[in-house]
Amino acid sequence: MSRCATVSRSLDEPVSGTAATATTWLLLEQPGPWGAKALTSSHLDPALGRALEAAAEGTGVRVALIRRPGRHADPGTPPVRHVYAAHTVPGRVWLHGAVTRDPERLLDLDFPALGAGDHRAFGAALGGRAHTGDPLALVCTNAKRDRCCALLGRPLAAELAASGVRGVWEVTHLGGHRFSPTVLVLPYGYSYGRAEAHTVKEALHGAQAGRVVVEGCRGCSAWDRPGQAAELAVRSAADEYRAGVLSVVRTDGAAPRWDVTVLHADGRRWQVTVAQGMSLPPRPESCGATVLGTPARMDVVAVRELRPTAMAG
C-alpha cells in the first residue's frame, strides 16, 4: 500500500512554505507511548495536557512532547524531565533549557510573554537558563498521528543518535506527514522535509555556525506560509544563508496571492510575489485520510529587490 510520503515524493510536491507556525516552541520530555493527540493521550496527565493547550492558544506558543530516540515501552514516570523553550523570530532568537520534577510547573509560565519572546517568563517559572549545548534536532515520530512519521522518522532519529549526533529528540507533531521524515532544528526554527541524515547533520552544523541550510527546508516557523516561501526564495536569490538577517516585515493581499516584503538587517528589501496553488493530481494528505486531497502549495512567482527610490515611492 502506498504511503502518503511515498506519493508526495513521487509527485515531487514542493516543501517550501509548509512548516508549522509558532513564534515560540515549548517542549516537555514525556517518555513512553504517545497517542494521536499526545498532550492528552500519553502518560502525561491529560488534565495538564488540556490546560497547556488552553494556555498556549492564541499566544504564538506551540507545545509538544519530546523523548529520547529508542524503544518506547512504558518506562514509568521519569523523576526529572527536560523542558526547552525556543523563540524563533529573527533578531530575537533564543533557546533556553530547564529540568523539572513537576510538569505542573509549566502552568506557571506567562504564555503571552513567552510567545512574544520574553525568556524571563521561562526563567521565573522553571529556573530556565540559556542552552549552551548543541542545537536541537526534533524528529517527528508519532505513529498514532501518521504511520509515515514512525516508519520513516524513527529510523532517522535512531541513525542520528547512533552516529553520535547530540541534541536529537523525537517529537510528537510537526505537521506535514506526507513530507516525512520531518525535522525541526532549534534555535532558529527551520523545518525540513524528506530529511536524510546528511541533511540534518548539515542543518545542525549550519545552526551551530549561525547559517541556514535551504536544501529540503520547509521554512521558518516564525512566519506564516507565504512568508516562509518568500524568505527562502530571497535566501536563494541573494545567496544569503546567515541566520537572523532576514525578516518578513509586511504581507499584502490575501489567498491566493500575496506580496511579501522581506527585510535584510543591512537595510535591503525585496518584494516577493507568492501564489497559492493546488497540488495536483489529488493525493492522500496523510496515511489516515479516507479521501484524496489537493493540498495548498506556495509558489514563488517573482522576487524583486526594492531599490531605495522604489521604497521611497
Side-chain angles (χ1 to χ4, degrees):
M1 181 183 296
S2 294
R3 301 192 299 264
C4 66
T6 305
V7 175
S8 177
R9 186 188 291 267
S10 69
L11 294 174
D12 199 25
E13 182 180 352
V15 302
S16 175
T18 67
T21 57
T23 54
T24 302
W25 292 83
L26 179 62
L27 310 166
L28 171 64
E29 183 178 6
Q30 177 57 61
W34 296 332
K37 295 183 178 180
L39 280 177
T40 54
S41 54
S42 68
H43 289 326
L44 184 71
D45 181 353
L48 173 58
R50 286 190 293 272
L52 289 171
E53 288 177 334
E57 186 173 359
T59 66
V61 177
R62 188 177 178 109
V63 186
L65 304 181
I66 58 174
R67 64 191 178 194
R68 294 293 189 185
R71 296 176 60 88
H72 300 301
D74 186 357
T77 302
V80 175
R81 303 168 192 249
H82 288 81
V83 187
Y84 294 100
H87 189 64
T88 63
V89 176
R92 296 187 287 133
V93 168
W94 50 261
L95 171 61
H96 284 215
V99 294
T100 184
R101 294 179 179 274
D102 180 11
E104 295 274 348
R105 292 182 61 191
L106 271 67
L107 295 178
D108 295 332
L109 287 166
D110 183 337
F111 280 80
L114 204 59
D118 187 351
H119 59 72
R120 292 175 300 179
F122 190 70
L126 294 165
R129 297 182 178 182
H131 176 68
T132 57
D134 293 312
L136 304 185
L138 309 173
V139 185
C140 188
T141 63
N142 191 351
K144 294 298 177 67
R145 193 86 189 198
D146 191 282
R147 61 186 178 134
C148 280
C149 296
L151 292 172
L152 302 174
R154 289 193 66 191
L156 174 62
E159 179 182 355
L160 290 168
S163 64
V165 177
R166 295 188 292 267
V168 179
W169 293 86
E170 298 185 9
V171 68
T172 46
H173 185 48
L174 297 177
H177 320 294
R178 64 192 184 279
F179 302 121
S180 295
T182 60
V183 180
L184 173 68
V185 175
L186 294 175
Y188 295 109
Y190 287 86
S191 289
Y192 294 84
R194 305 187 189 118
E196 298 180 4
H198 73 89
T199 305
V200 179
K201 290 177 182 178
E202 288 175 10
L204 288 169
H205 288 313
Q208 189 82 58
R211 298 181 66 83
V212 176
V213 171
V214 299
E215 178 190 354
C217 190
R218 300 174 62 193
C220 175
S221 74
W223 316 127
D224 61 13
R225 293 188 62 185
Q228 293 171 11
E231 188 230 14
L232 290 175
V234 169
R235 287 195 176 280
S236 296
D239 199 29
E240 176 57 86
Y241 303 108
R242 287 175 293 171
V245 299
L246 294 179
S247 295
V248 174
V249 295
R250 181 170 175 172
T251 300
D252 296 310
R257 194 177 183 92
W258 302 266
D259 286 320
V260 181
T261 303
V262 178
L263 172 68
H264 195 289
D266 65 11
R268 286 180 291 163
R269 289 177 182 253
W270 291 262
Q271 185 177 80
V272 183
T273 302
V274 180
Q276 179 176 299
M278 292 190 303
S279 296
L280 296 172
R283 78 284 309 278
E285 295 189 50
S286 67
C287 289
T290 57
V291 296
L292 301 182
T294 53
R297 53 185 284 170
M298 296 292 119
D299 294 319
V300 173
V301 177
V303 179
R304 180 168 67 97
E305 184 172 356
L306 299 176
R307 301 300 177 185
T309 53
M311 289 187 283

